[in-house]
Amino acid sequence: MLLRLSTLFVRTLREDPADAEVASHRLLIRAGYIRRAAPGIYTWLPLGLRVLTKVEAVVREEMVAAGAQEVHFPALLPREPYEQTGRWAEYGPNLFRLKDRRENDYLLAPTHEEMFTLLVKDLCSSYKDLPLTLFQIQTKYRDEARPRAGLIRGREFVMKDAYSFDLDDDGLAQAYENQRAAYQRIFDRLGLEHVIVAAVSGAMGGSRSEEFLTPTPIGEDTYVRSPGGYAANAEAVTTPVPDQLSWADVPAAHVEPTPDAPTIDALVDLVNTRYPRADRPWTAADTLKNVVLALTHPGGEREVVVVGLPGDRDVDMKRIEAALAPAEVEVAGDADLVAHPELVRGYIGPAVLGPNALDPETSVRYLLDPRVVPGTRWVTGANEVDKHVLDLVAGRDFTGSGTIEAAEVRAGDPAPDGSGPLELARGIEIGHIFQLGRKYAEALDLKVLDANGKAQVVTMGSYGIGVTRVLAALAEAHHDDKGLAWPAHVAPANVHLVATGKDAAVFETAERLAAEWSAQGIEVLYDDRPKVSPGVKFADAELFGVPLVVVVGRGLASGVVEVRPRSGGEVHEIPVAEVVDHVAARVAGLLGQA
């Protein structure tokens, strides 16, 4: 294969796009791999499409090797199956909805659980048809409120989704482990560092769930690890619940004036000065912060809830969203507080919340951090301006409507399994696997006859890889300040051949080399532009990121050609008569074919 830059549909940019936040976004645009069509939507140009195709090929090969069979569904789907599973409403504003000319409802698929389930229901009737794993590589659509970082969070993206179908839970467990191993092979082949962490199932449902993350400072996901091997997305971390305490010696709760204490720190200083404890000073961890949130449920109903947590912790909205899915969550606004006059901004306390209110049936739901166990002693709002209540004891003076994992996870927090203090890192989610169980099979009545002729509900697993996000993650992991530096298996070409100068012999030699390599099946990106300066050609070579650069130029007068690796390393001057074999061997080595 030979690509000539003189005719290739590509234009490089010397300046970063104004809206590009991360390296992958900047460089994929500048190198002419993608172009922005709309917020979160990108056009793929020839070089970008070549990389995308190679990523897809690795995914496809490993899925087939794991026993999965490929299918392909439409992206435009009818409403009815999503109504049956409840996800027409659950997806809320993230779903692209539309009507045809007859006013029938359709959607652009964000994911295809329903369609896979119905296809198997249509074609499989016996346990002899199972186990079965199907997959597709297809474009998905989600109306992201804040698309960002180029391909990392978009409204249109390519995804590999696979689903396993088994008669029993043992079969599901085996299918899950099979796919898990296939994912590890995929990311290893792509040269993409990855960690596997426990995750929440969220709206997908199911029992077991794990994410594959590639570590990077620009990642949207925070994950944790412990010295003893615990690993989880921060959303899935559970707080070790403290032991309950005795309140026998704690004085009765008392309301005190607390003027000029608009912050937690100011409040702590004030109560230590005016109302000191006998055993130890009050700290921020002794204050009970009550955060007002507004939930929009799938049917459109809006609910105000209050989350109570220690004042030394901030709420983590992603953890809250995971805990309260499928509801949409936001900080309550002025209108929400006006609708609940009992909530005094800045001074909200448990007395008017949840089961503590005069009318618990109509009160605001009150969800507590797991650290708020019976016997813990708090300073919190007294539901009056400039007043707080001290020595308020959980279990004695107030209770919650339930618990919630809403507080930020910090480095040094204990791992839930006791395996040591947690370390925090950031990563990009590149894959997610679920043991779905029977949620979708039951909703869509997917049953087969077992060996005794009895109808059994099929159990399912779901396995997704964000293919376009993987490409962006590769660009994040493999670049420098000059441009991209692709791993050999996904680069748009094996060799970037650069002809420099005006000497006809240079271009004649380059043409011959390009033809010989191409005849051997080596992919060549040939910069044959006659009136472009060497500086521009070298800058483009660094920007494109092909792993091996061959320069035919001034050295030709001495009978040599320059061979340089894109990602650093020694530059070699190779005799013209030997360079074809030399480069062929280098390419084979890079591709693991030597």
Side-chain angles (χ1 to χ4, degrees):
M1 187 281 302
L2 176 59
L3 297 172
R4 297 176 180 274
L5 273 177
S6 61
T7 56
L8 186 65
F9 188 56
V10 64
R11 296 292 183 274
T12 57
L13 304 175
R14 295 292 164 238
E15 301 296 329
D16 290 335
D19 63 337
E21 307 168 273
V22 298
S24 60
H25 190 187
R26 293 195 304 270
L27 295 174
L28 289 170
I29 294 285
R30 284 186 52 206
Y33 282 71
I34 60 173
R35 295 289 288 181
R36 180 181 182 272
I41 305 173
Y42 293 88
T43 300
W44 289 86
L45 303 183
L47 288 179
L49 198 57
R50 288 187 61 80
V51 177
L52 181 62
T53 300
K54 290 186 177 185
V55 173
E56 289 180 355
V58 171
V59 173
R60 182 173 281 112
E61 288 167 12
E62 291 297 340
M63 291 304 298
V64 171
Q69 301 178 61
E70 187 169 8
V71 297
H72 192 82
F73 288 97
L76 180 64
L77 301 175
R79 171 178 177 168
E80 288 75 18
Y82 287 79
E83 282 276 18
Q84 287 179 261
T85 60
R87 295 207 300 172
W88 177 264
E90 283 180 7
Y91 260 108
N94 286 331
L95 200 65
F96 281 104
R97 298 172 171 84
L98 63 158
K99 292 180 181 289
D100 68 8
R101 65 183 65 195
R102 296 179 180 82
E103 294 298 306
N104 296 311
D105 286 315
Y106 287 83
L107 68 148
L108 294 178
T111 182
H112 277 81
E113 283 80 7
E114 287 81 355
M115 304 312 294
F116 274 90
T117 306
L118 289 173
L119 180 64
V120 173
K121 178 182 178 181
D122 185 32
L123 297 179
C124 297
S125 58
S126 166
Y127 73 98
K128 296 178 181 178
D129 298 320
L130 307 179
L132 174 68
T133 301
L134 303 175
F135 81 99
Q136 67 169 344
I137 298 176
Q138 202 244 30
T139 303
K140 312 290 187 185
Y141 302 87
R142 294 177 190 171
D143 192 2
E144 291 282 354
R146 294 172 294 278
R148 65 171 294 272
L151 301 178
I152 291 175
R153 181 164 295 280
R155 291 177 168 175
E156 176 186 279
F157 53 95
V158 177
M159 180 177 172
K160 186 283 302 177
D161 46 340
Y163 298 86
S164 62
F165 300 85
D166 289 274
L167 191 64
D168 55 32
D169 292 342
D170 288 342
L172 170 59
Q174 183 176 344
Y176 183 93
E177 292 300 331
N178 187 33
Q179 290 295 308
R180 191 178 191 269
Y183 274 39
Q184 291 174 283
R185 292 194 299 271
I186 288 169
F187 299 130
D188 285 343
R189 283 185 59 185
L190 290 171
L192 195 56
E193 181 187 358
H194 61 279
V195 295
I196 306 174
V197 302
V200 294
S201 297
M204 289 284 288
S207 54
R208 186 179 177 189
S209 171
E210 290 177 296
E211 287 179 351
F212 289 73
L213 303 174
T214 184
T216 172
I218 63 95
E220 291 186 315
D221 286 83
T222 299
Y223 66 96
V224 301
R225 289 183 286 195
S226 74
Y230 177 82
N233 189 303
E235 297 166 21
V237 176
T238 56
T239 303
V241 179
D243 293 334
Q244 298 185 17
L245 302 175
S246 170
W247 57 70
D249 297 329
V250 180
H254 48 106
V255 175
E256 303 291 352
T258 51
D260 302 319
T263 66
I264 295 291
D265 288 343
L267 175 63
V268 170
D269 289 342
L270 186 147
V271 295
N272 276 319
T273 300
R274 296 190 181 184
Y275 319 108
R277 296 169 56 147
D279 52 346
R280 62 171 178 81
W282 297 100
T283 70
D286 298 314
T287 64
L288 184 62
K289 177 164 54 179
N290 294 297
V291 180
V292 188
L293 303 172
L295 278 57
T296 302
H297 293 281
E301 175 194 359
R302 192 170 177 88
E303 178 193 8
V304 172
V305 301
V306 174
V307 171
L309 71 163
D312 65 330
R313 301 266 175 169
D314 290 329
V315 294
D316 182 329
M317 289 301 289
K318 293 190 73 172
R319 278 167 61 79
I320 290 175
E321 289 166 359
L324 298 176
E328 296 275 328
V329 185
E330 60 185 319
V331 175
D334 291 340
D336 298 306
L337 292 174
V338 167
H340 291 276
E342 73 275 19
L343 303 180
V344 180
R345 191 192 298 268
Y347 298 91
I348 299 170
V352 298
L353 303 173
N356 314 293
L358 291 176
D359 185 357
E361 295 296 321
T362 60
S363 71
V364 170
R365 189 155 51 120
Y366 189 36
L367 302 175
L368 293 171
D369 182 273
R371 298 172 185 83
V372 185
V373 296
T376 49
R377 177 181 177 187
W378 303 95
V379 176
T380 191
N383 304 299
E384 295 182 60
V385 175
D386 288 339
K387 289 186 178 181
H388 283 80
V389 57
L390 282 69
D391 296 315
L392 191 74
V393 176
R396 183 190 73 180
D397 302 318
F398 73 97
T399 58
S401 309
T403 60
I404 186 172
E405 292 286 359
E408 61 179 349
V409 178
R410 290 179 180 168
D413 283 348
D417 63 355
S419 58
L422 296 176
E423 296 178 355
L424 273 63
R426 300 195 68 81
I428 298 171
E429 180 188 345
I430 50 177
H432 203 156
I433 56 178
F434 303 83
Q435 288 188 2
L436 286 181
R438 295 171 175 82
K439 172 181 177 179
Y440 295 93
E442 288 176 344
L444 298 169
D445 196 31
L446 169 57
K447 299 177 180 178
V448 297
L449 298 179
D450 64 16
N452 298 315
K454 183 178 179 181
Q456 299 283 356
V457 178
V458 171
T459 186
M460 295 171 56
S462 172
Y463 318 96
I465 289 178
V467 178
T468 43
R469 185 178 285 186
V470 163
L471 188 150
L474 284 165
E476 285 292 333
H478 299 280
H479 74 273
D480 57 26
D481 58 354
K482 296 178 181 178
L484 299 161
W486 296 111
H489 286 83
V490 300
N494 307 133
V495 176
H496 187 136
L497 177 60
V498 181
T500 65
K502 300 178 181 179
D503 191 339
V506 167
F507 286 88
E508 290 169 4
T509 300
E511 284 283 352
R512 178 176 60 80
L513 296 176
E516 291 192 42
W517 285 323
S518 185
Q520 294 181 33
I522 294 173
E523 301 169 346
V524 181
L525 178 60
Y526 175 29
D527 195 340
D528 61 338
R529 296 173 293 179
K531 297 181 180 180
V532 176
S533 71
V536 170
K537 290 187 174 185
F538 292 146
D540 282 347
E542 291 168 329
L543 190 55
F544 289 141
V546 174
L548 202 59
V549 180
V550 178
V551 181
V552 182
R554 289 181 298 181
L556 188 60
S558 303
V560 297
V561 171
E562 186 179 279
V563 179
R564 58 171 77 166
R566 168 62 185 87
S567 297
E570 188 176 352
V571 177
H572 293 89
E573 290 188 341
I574 307 299
V576 175
E578 301 173 12
V579 74
V580 171
D581 291 341
H582 174 88
V583 167
R586 292 278 291 271
V587 169
L590 287 169
L591 295 175
Q593 300 168 350

